[in-house]
Amino acid sequence: MKILGALVVLMLMHSFYDLVDAQGSWQILNRNAGIACMHAAATHYNTLIMLDRTNTGPSQIRLAGGKCRNQPLERILKNDCWAHSVMMNPVSGAVRPLTVQTDTWCSSGQFFDNGMMVQTGGDFEGLRKIRTLKPCPPEGNCDWMELAEPLAKGRWYASNQLLQTGTRQIIVGGRNEPTYEFYPKRRAGEGAYYLSVLDGCCDNLYPFVFLLPNKLLFIFANKDSVSLNWETGKVVRKFPTIPGNPRNYPSAGSAVMLPVSYTTGFTRGEIMVCGGAANGASRTNNVGAACSNNCGRIVATAAAGGWAMENMPIRRCMGDMINMPNGEVLIINGAMNGFQGWGKASNAVLNPVNYNPNAAAGRRFAMWAKTGIPRVYHSTASLLADGRVIVAGSNTHQFYTYTGAFPTELRVEAFSPPYLGANYNAYRPAITGAPIALKYNQVFTMAFTVGVRRGAVTVYQNSAPFTTHSFSQGQRSLHLKTSVPVRAGAGWSMQVTAAPNNSLAPPAWYIFFCVQNGIPSKGKWIKQNN
């Protein structure tokens, strides 16, 4: 009886899948995707856009149909018949070559409301370029287009965030560029705007940028952060400096905004920043310096308050943080020593770590199954609608190098978290009915089936970010209000209330997950309209 009582208590305290010793599993999807994936984004057609730089020389996949890229400004191959971008089918693992004309090295991106990827900046001839790709089904032939319109400033190591219209992005920072600008411009001839938090000598590239529920932007660089009214250009609040080490490139921490929930009236925007290189490591070339093991959380929508710190079970830099389908956070990839750069990392972190933000302090982290493939500098991680995480890339060399420590990595893996284990099939919901598009505050019916009804059922809405250099640009997750499920024929149905406004969910395609007691369904792509 004592054992039974303890089990009941555990079921009340934790998600159902925590009750067994399940750590997830790994599967290699493609042993040679042709390119080392530096940038990645999952599309609403359930394909994966993958990008590398163009100035690596030959990749291992040729452009289709004998096509070649003729780029007189290219520094390696001016006549280049090799692809540096591919579209991947994450079910079959098949890849299709895509064509980029200018260098996308350390560039940025974000989807528009119609699903079109806008990809900005890069190096050398790509520094001020804007590229677009309108995704298509796996059997389609969509490809990159380069726009004639340039960025106002060169953007190398910048970050993008979709704004409330769904048709405009803010592009923040870049090497030697402590400014931000908009695409498309808000008026003819509009330029860039200085922002002091982006200024300084180092560790401030690929700034962490989030659109908060209060309509402001949270912008974090190095150790400092501000909230910015992007419409007026006014800095509304300067936050306390985060304790410890620097967090942005090349120190390579990572960040997420924790799920914004109806339980707090969708008003609480809490940012979590984890890991990064040791103080001064990149400036002194201290490649053996131990990476940080701490994380900080701050409520960026509060009028006051500072960082609440806690420690991860393992130190990490160059990790990726992902909002998962059940409101938790996955920390994956990276190294325990060094910083971002060619040959600057050692002691790869092979174990993903799960973080439950709602658990009691000291019980939030869980170590999951390790991979056999190191993923350090220039690696990516992307959440798919089926609940898996696609992990790709890792190239610590200037060119493709297949020998020595951390050789250029062309393999693509899928990590299946414990909730996808066979033990949970009976408890995993399956969405059988939901709209294809929503308006704000719309109350809609979600129908689902499930083998065994046990525990609370709720809905999470996750964005499709652009992932590069340890930061998923545009990533967000919403915890939506639901009614108590009722029987509906052979299944169940419940009423779900959509997000109330476009500061919470800018118009775009989102993945909606039905979650029973921590076990998510396969996601359904739904278009959020204004």
Side-chain angles (χ1 to χ4, degrees):
M1 290 299 292
K2 289 182 179 179
I3 294 174
L4 180 60
L7 181 60
V8 170
V9 171
L10 282 171
M11 290 180 66
L12 291 172
M13 291 178 62
H14 303 290
S15 300
F16 184 75
Y17 67 80
D18 288 334
L19 298 180
V20 301
D21 185 19
Q23 295 183 321
S25 61
W26 291 85
Q27 176 191 13
I28 294 180
L29 295 180
N30 190 315
R31 294 190 175 275
N32 186 346
I35 68 167
C37 180
M38 182 186 294
H39 320 288
T43 80
H44 66 279
Y45 286 106
N46 292 316
T47 54
L48 191 72
I49 301 170
M50 299 167 64
L51 277 158
D52 197 11
R53 345 178 337 232
T54 62
N55 62 9
T56 56
S59 66
Q60 290 204 355
I61 183 169
R62 289 187 175 271
L63 292 169
K67 185 172 15 176
C68 293
R69 179 177 71 104
N70 294 299
Q71 175 53 268
L73 297 176
E74 177 58 66
R75 290 179 288 184
I76 306 300
L77 290 177
K78 297 184 186 301
N79 180 257
D80 187 359
C81 305
W82 301 89
H84 304 285
S85 179
V86 299
M87 185 78 75
M88 180 176 185
N89 181 337
V91 176
S92 67
V95 295
R96 177 173 63 84
L98 301 176
T99 305
V100 286
Q101 296 296 335
T102 55
D103 194 9
T104 53
W105 186 12
C106 299
S107 52
S108 54
Q110 185 82 122
F111 287 109
F112 269 165
D113 64 340
N114 62 359
M116 182 173 69
M117 169 58 67
V118 176
Q119 216 272 327
T120 50
D123 187 29
F124 203 53
E125 81 278 1
L127 192 61
R128 295 180 62 190
K129 287 294 182 178
I130 303 170
R131 311 165 194 87
T132 63
L133 190 155
K134 187 68 180 293
C136 57
E139 65 276 8
N141 61 358
C142 49
D143 209 340
W144 290 104
M145 295 182 61
E146 295 232 358
L147 307 187
E149 178 185 1
L151 294 168
K153 298 287 185 178
R155 301 290 171 186
W156 196 24
Y157 302 93
S159 295
N160 293 21
Q161 171 63 57
L162 183 67
L163 297 174
Q164 287 94 327
T165 63
T167 57
R168 176 169 285 118
Q169 299 178 23
I170 188 170
I171 308 164
V172 181
R175 185 179 288 270
N176 300 319
E177 198 51 67
T179 65
Y180 62 90
E181 64 178 283
F182 299 93
Y183 176 75
K185 296 177 175 62
R186 296 177 294 179
R187 57 185 178 275
E190 185 180 33
Y193 303 88
Y194 175 75
L195 186 62
S196 62
V197 75
L198 303 173
D199 216 342
C201 75
C202 42
D203 295 304
N204 57 8
L205 303 179
Y206 278 125
F208 304 144
V209 182
F210 297 96
L211 178 62
L212 296 170
N214 60 9
K215 303 182 180 181
L216 303 176
L217 288 170
F218 177 88
I219 300 176
F220 181 108
N222 196 320
K223 300 181 186 181
D224 293 305
S225 49
V226 299
S227 58
L228 173 73
N229 183 326
W230 63 267
E231 294 179 294
T232 66
K234 180 182 177 182
V235 171
V236 176
R237 182 185 173 194
K238 293 183 179 179
F239 297 95
T241 298
I242 192 170
N245 53 290
R247 309 289 174 161
N248 296 86
Y249 184 95
S251 284
S254 191
V256 294
M257 181 163 65
L258 297 176
V260 184
S261 177
Y262 79 94
T263 61
T264 58
F266 290 115
T267 61
R268 182 184 177 93
E270 186 172 10
I271 308 299
M272 182 176 181
V273 178
C274 291
N279 279 303
S282 63
R283 296 194 301 278
T284 60
N285 197 35
N286 188 353
V287 298
C291 297
S292 169
N293 72 338
N294 65 41
C295 297
R297 288 170 59 166
I298 192 167
V299 181
T301 48
W307 294 91
M309 306 302 294
E310 57 189 318
N311 289 337
M312 299 183 285
I314 189 168
R315 64 184 192 268
R316 190 184 308 248
C317 53
M318 287 167 273
D320 290 278
M321 296 175 68
I322 302 174
N323 287 122
M324 297 300 280
N326 55 6
E328 298 179 3
V329 175
L330 183 69
I331 309 173
I332 197 169
N333 297 337
M336 288 189 282
N337 294 78
F339 55 93
Q340 285 176 316
W342 289 320
K344 306 299 185 183
S346 60
N347 292 329
V349 185
L350 302 178
N351 291 87
V353 168
N354 190 65
Y355 180 81
N356 182 348
N358 298 315
R363 302 181 63 92
R364 293 172 181 157
F365 290 100
M367 194 87 78
W368 280 357
K370 70 179 182 180
T371 177
I373 302 176
R375 305 282 183 178
V376 287
Y377 188 41
H378 290 152
S379 57
T380 63
S382 303
L383 176 68
L384 297 181
D386 62 17
R388 295 178 298 165
V389 175
I390 298 296
V391 180
S394 188
N395 189 10
T396 67
H397 310 279
Q398 184 173 4
F399 305 110
Y400 282 13
T401 304
Y402 305 107
T403 59
F406 304 131
T408 300
E409 188 56 67
L410 305 181
R411 289 173 291 181
V412 179
E413 292 175 288
F415 175 64
S416 294
Y419 57 61
L420 292 177
N423 289 338
Y424 310 110
N425 285 340
Y427 307 98
R428 183 174 301 120
I431 299 173
T432 56
I436 60 172
L438 294 173
K439 293 184 177 180
Y440 296 111
N441 273 322
Q442 179 178 335
V443 178
F444 64 95
T445 299
M446 178 175 284
F448 66 94
T449 58
V450 66
V452 177
R453 272 283 289 118
R454 179 178 292 179
V457 178
T458 191
V459 171
Y460 281 87
Q461 173 182 351
N462 284 31
S463 67
F466 177 90
T467 299
T468 186
H469 288 76
S470 301
F471 181 54
S472 290
Q473 302 176 15
Q475 183 172 223
R476 59 202 307 109
S477 177
L478 302 179
H479 179 206
L480 301 181
K481 182 180 180 180
T482 57
S483 68
V484 176
V486 296
R487 272 290 185 184
W492 301 82
S493 72
M494 60 184 172
Q495 299 299 297
V496 184
T497 305
N501 60 62
N502 58 12
S503 292
L504 289 163
W509 285 93
Y510 292 84
I511 316 173
F512 284 67
F513 295 95
C514 178
V515 182
Q516 177 175 253
N517 213 19
I519 310 299
S521 67
K522 289 186 176 180
K524 177 177 174 57
W525 288 97
I526 300 177
K527 176 75 181 304
Q528 176 70 67
N529 291 320
N530 253 324

